[in-house]
Amino acid sequence: MAQIRPFRALRYNPTVVGDLKNVVSPPYDVISPQQQTLLHLQSPYNATHLDFNTADDPYTTAAQTFQTWLSQQVVQPDPEPGFYCYTQEFTLQDGQPRRRTGIFAALRVEDFESGVIRPHERTFERAKKDRLALLRACRAHLSSIFCLYAGSGWSLEHTLRDALARPAAVEVADDAGVTHRLWSIQDPATIADITARLSDKSLIIADGHHRYETALQYSRERTAETGAGEDRPFQYVLAYLTSAEDSGLTILPTHRLIRQTRLPSPTSLQAVLKRDFRLARYAPAHRQAFLDALSAPGPERRIGCVMAGAEHDWLLSFDDRVTHGLPASAAMRALDVTVLHDVLFERFLGLPPDVQKQAVSYTSDTDEALQRVTAGDAQAAFLLRSTTFEQIQQVCENGETMPQKSTYFYPKLLTGLVFYHLEQD
């Protein structure tokens, strides 16, 4: 099953780079162009200069920058291999403090057909080509994938209780109010215990599908070149592993915004929707009640719709009958995102999948979605509830994948806490 091993992380040298807050960054795929510019200006050593730079040839530039940082000891290898305990403390709108605990480790890549490591979302070829070019150039994993294991009956946090009682080697508070802490775990007994505990687990990729598929392709290429034997660094990917039962595991919904396309009028759409959905209407003055009703617990399935020019926000309630006739499995039909794309968008709005790619954008921020409709930047916002881990697990066990942006695991992992150099380990 899952094979992990300790690795010698490359880490920033604080005596050269100064405050680590200025050099770490969010994952490249959630960084806006404006944020990318700000991060570049924040420090000449910010991780985006490697992972997401703006040069005409970003891959050669990243490789040159990486080699310069190595030679100037901007980043340095740890003396011994280890795992790295990583906690993130945060508070959501409900005011309840949370902490998610996991480890960074080197994870041996496997074909998906083996069932050891499973994807839950579809990927884009363009993004995979980008990450593969960067990996070939730098020969290092600059950011981590994020994986979940389930059914362990074992607490990683309990195993690491002694380490967590010590001051962290790294502590960074980001602009979203998340506190990130990192500890190096080099005790052989602890490493052996964690390795054994996870050795019978399969993993689900939560974030980093493109990076994982890239690492798999790169491993195949290097194996063909070198005829590699056991345990070569390029056969592994930098991975963050946490339990699906961790109390801090948080999955937020990713809302959809429609822009630059022809839509029926609110009156016409409402009349059509009533055939298959129960519509509750909320005046804009009662928007919080609308949002509370959308997120309220219970078995009834719901999608929210805020449409430019409509006098009311709509709460669309439905049951499994709305997906009758869809050429999808029961696990896929149970997802609200399937109803949104295959029923609401395609059947009611007349947007086939190729048009959806152009017309739909995404945000996990409810306030942003509503503001963009109010500002005229979007014609409509469709608000989803969170996908559960159980739904993700069911889809993966069926060997299926969800549409892109079906989940938003929060908080995101910081890039720059650890790098995995494949030519050094």
Side-chain angles (χ1 to χ4, degrees):
M1 299 299 277
Q3 298 182 49
I4 61 171
R5 72 171 192 173
F7 68 105
R8 291 177 65 203
L10 284 177
R11 293 199 280 159
Y12 277 114
N13 181 353
T15 62
V16 175
V17 304
D19 190 346
L20 291 178
K21 181 179 180 180
N22 294 326
V23 296
V24 294
S25 77
Y28 79 99
D29 52 355
V30 301
I31 297 175
S32 68
Q34 296 79 10
Q35 190 177 18
Q36 183 184 28
T37 299
L38 291 174
L39 289 167
H40 276 54
L41 295 174
Q42 194 164 276
S43 169
Y45 306 120
N46 190 275
T48 53
H49 290 287
L50 299 179
D51 202 41
F52 195 36
N53 71 69
T54 56
D56 292 336
D57 183 349
Y59 314 115
T60 300
T61 300
Q64 292 171 343
T65 300
F66 188 48
Q67 291 304 315
T68 298
W69 287 7
L70 287 167
S71 65
Q72 295 180 354
Q73 298 186 321
V74 173
V75 292
Q76 297 176 313
D78 279 348
E80 299 293 334
F83 292 150
Y84 298 84
C85 177
Y86 178 27
T87 67
Q88 294 165 288
E89 296 181 4
F90 57 101
T91 302
L92 297 178
Q93 290 184 341
D94 61 10
Q96 181 69 34
R98 293 171 168 84
R99 179 169 79 171
R100 190 177 67 204
T101 301
I103 59 165
F104 287 119
L107 170 66
R108 190 177 179 97
V109 295
E110 302 267 0
D111 289 328
F112 289 141
E113 289 76 10
S114 71
V116 174
I117 298 165
R118 296 169 173 168
H120 85 270
E121 285 187 343
R122 301 164 198 160
T123 53
F124 296 101
E125 286 302 318
R126 180 177 179 181
K128 286 189 286 187
K129 289 179 180 178
D130 165 63
R131 292 297 99 180
L132 182 57
L134 183 65
L135 180 55
R136 286 170 175 162
C138 293
R139 300 197 170 195
H141 293 298
L142 303 174
S143 58
S144 175
I145 68 168
F146 178 165
C147 292
L148 298 169
Y149 58 90
S152 65
W154 157 75
S155 169
L156 175 65
E157 191 161 345
H158 180 74
T159 298
L160 296 174
R161 62 191 182 280
D162 291 340
L164 292 170
R166 303 194 305 263
V170 174
E171 180 172 330
V172 175
D174 66 24
D175 293 338
V178 180
T179 299
H180 306 258
R181 294 188 177 93
L182 187 79
W183 292 261
S184 176
I185 309 298
Q186 296 182 331
D187 173 60
T190 303
I191 289 173
D193 183 35
I194 294 172
T195 302
R197 298 278 190 175
L198 294 177
S199 64
D200 65 343
K201 305 302 175 196
S202 62
L203 303 175
I204 291 175
I205 301 174
D207 274 337
H209 291 78
H210 297 96
R211 280 162 279 173
Y212 182 83
E213 293 186 35
T214 290
L216 184 59
Q217 176 62 28
Y218 184 73
S219 175
R220 291 169 178 154
E221 292 177 358
R222 295 298 309 278
T223 299
E225 291 172 3
T226 65
E230 291 295 316
D231 280 345
R232 297 292 293 273
F234 57 75
Q235 295 170 319
Y236 289 76
V237 64
L238 176 60
Y240 166 84
L241 311 174
T242 192
S243 170
E245 288 85 29
D246 187 283
S247 60
L249 183 69
T250 301
I251 309 174
L252 301 178
T254 302
H255 309 306
R256 270 58 173 166
L257 296 161
I258 299 290
R259 52 187 171 78
Q260 298 178 348
T261 192
R262 291 187 64 182
L263 296 179
S265 70
T267 302
S268 299
L269 181 59
Q270 179 178 266
V272 173
L273 288 173
K274 283 182 177 179
R275 296 199 313 244
D276 291 282
F277 296 87
R278 295 179 295 279
L279 267 66
R281 301 189 301 172
Y282 292 80
H286 299 149
R287 181 155 285 168
Q288 189 56 54
F290 162 70
L291 296 175
D292 290 343
L294 172 65
S295 60
E300 188 175 56
R301 300 172 65 180
R302 280 156 269 164
I303 293 173
C305 175
V306 177
M307 195 171 184
E311 295 181 0
H312 296 87
D313 301 334
W314 301 339
L315 184 65
L316 311 177
S317 302
F318 54 97
D319 55 32
D320 294 342
R321 288 174 294 181
V322 78
T323 60
H324 179 72
L326 287 183
S329 69
M332 291 295 289
R333 292 197 305 271
L335 301 175
D336 291 348
V337 69
T338 299
V339 174
L340 181 59
H341 282 268
D342 295 356
V343 178
L344 278 170
F345 286 174
E346 190 163 358
R347 185 184 300 170
F348 287 97
L349 297 183
L351 304 177
D354 58 330
V355 175
Q356 291 181 31
K357 291 179 182 179
Q358 305 299 322
V360 179
S361 59
Y362 309 88
T363 179
S364 63
D365 188 325
T366 304
D367 290 339
E368 178 189 349
L370 298 173
Q371 289 166 4
R372 288 182 62 180
V373 175
T374 300
D377 295 332
Q379 295 158 277
F382 289 86
L383 308 180
L384 290 167
R385 299 196 299 166
S386 298
T387 303
T388 67
F389 173 74
E390 289 73 22
Q391 289 176 311
I392 296 169
Q393 189 175 36
Q394 184 62 57
V395 169
C396 290
E397 288 177 353
N398 288 349
E400 299 173 297
T401 52
M402 300 178 180
Q404 294 91 351
K405 309 293 185 182
S406 292
T407 56
Y408 190 94
F409 288 84
Y410 183 86
K412 297 300 182 183
L413 309 178
L414 285 183
T415 295
L417 292 175
V418 293
F419 302 115
Y420 181 23
H421 190 195
L422 303 181
E423 299 301 313
Q424 158 219 283
D425 191 4

